Amino acid sequence: MTLTATTSHTVGPYYHIGLTWLNREDLTVAQTLGQRVAITGQVVDGNGQFVNDAMLEVWQANAAGKYAHPEDDQDKPLDPHFEGFGRVPVDAEGRFRFTTIKPGTVPGLAGTTQAPHLVVLVFARGLVKHLLTRIYFDGEPANETDPLLACVPEERRATIVSKPDASGVYQWNVILQGTDAETVFFDY
């Protein structure tokens, strides 16, 4: 028997055909506990051109720092009005906006504490597998001791830290490749 390699398949843009029913740009409902925040930005390639077929998947803990997942056995309250998941498509110019709550701190490895953050998966045409990154919040005291953020060279941390504008909306962009401004992506 001879085995022949097959071609690779990219992760998109097929999700626009069958997965749009999962899109959820507001992760909250009226009863959701916690501080609501809006995050907006743009997905661009290494040349600064917008990526018009990207999609972001957001996973996060609730305001108390507990995930709506059976493996999270922390003795923290579970918010029945918050799933901690959203799927956000970009528009024709690569822009996105979603509303969520600021998550609480969660435990890290070896007794450490992770700063409030969102886990973000980036899907787009041309990617063989999705990209994994995080969004942290500027000015959060726990950022100073977050073990994963500490692994990122100081000059690159700004690529995963969102900053509020004058209206309080957090700004965060995804830069897929290129310059030193490329978003930090993590292996998994």
Side-chain angles (χ1 to χ4, degrees):
M1 170 191 286
T2 303
L3 299 177
T4 309
T6 60
T7 58
S8 296
H9 297 280
T10 64
V11 297
Y14 307 109
Y15 48 79
H16 287 289
I17 297 169
L19 298 179
T20 55
W21 65 275
L22 291 170
N23 291 355
R24 187 168 173 203
E25 296 171 12
D26 189 345
L27 283 64
T28 69
V29 295
Q31 301 88 347
T32 301
L33 302 174
Q35 174 192 349
R36 281 173 176 64
V37 294
I39 299 175
T40 187
Q42 190 173 36
V43 179
V44 297
D45 66 18
N47 296 320
Q49 300 296 312
F50 53 78
V51 177
N52 63 3
D53 67 347
M55 180 181 60
L56 307 179
E57 229 177 56
V58 180
W59 296 86
Q60 70 173 91
N62 67 20
K66 184 171 178 79
Y67 289 96
H69 192 279
E71 290 186 21
D72 187 340
D73 58 1
Q74 298 179 79
D75 188 22
K76 293 180 179 178
L78 188 60
D79 184 347
H81 305 289
F82 187 72
E83 295 176 4
F85 170 79
R87 181 172 277 167
V88 184
V90 300
D91 68 13
E93 295 178 350
R95 295 178 303 217
F96 62 87
R97 180 184 176 102
F98 63 93
T99 302
T100 188
I101 52 99
K102 195 172 193 181
T105 59
V106 295
L109 297 175
T112 60
T113 299
Q114 298 180 61
H117 66 276
L118 312 178
V119 176
V120 179
L121 301 177
V122 180
F123 298 85
R125 166 185 24 93
L127 297 176
V128 176
K129 66 179 188 173
H130 56 270
L131 302 173
L132 173 69
T133 189
R134 285 186 173 190
I135 301 174
Y136 288 89
F137 297 90
D138 188 46
E140 184 64 42
N143 287 352
E144 298 299 320
T145 57
D146 183 274
L148 188 61
L149 198 53
C151 292
V152 176
E154 191 170 344
E155 66 275 8
R156 304 273 330 277
R157 290 181 193 158
T159 69
I160 57 175
V161 177
S162 62
K163 296 183 189 249
D165 64 15
S167 69
V169 173
Y170 283 85
Q171 304 294 314
W172 179 75
N173 294 313
V174 177
I175 301 172
L176 294 177
Q177 64 183 11
T179 67
D180 292 338
E182 177 182 324
T183 301
V184 170
F185 300 105
F186 300 100
D187 286 331
Y188 56 96

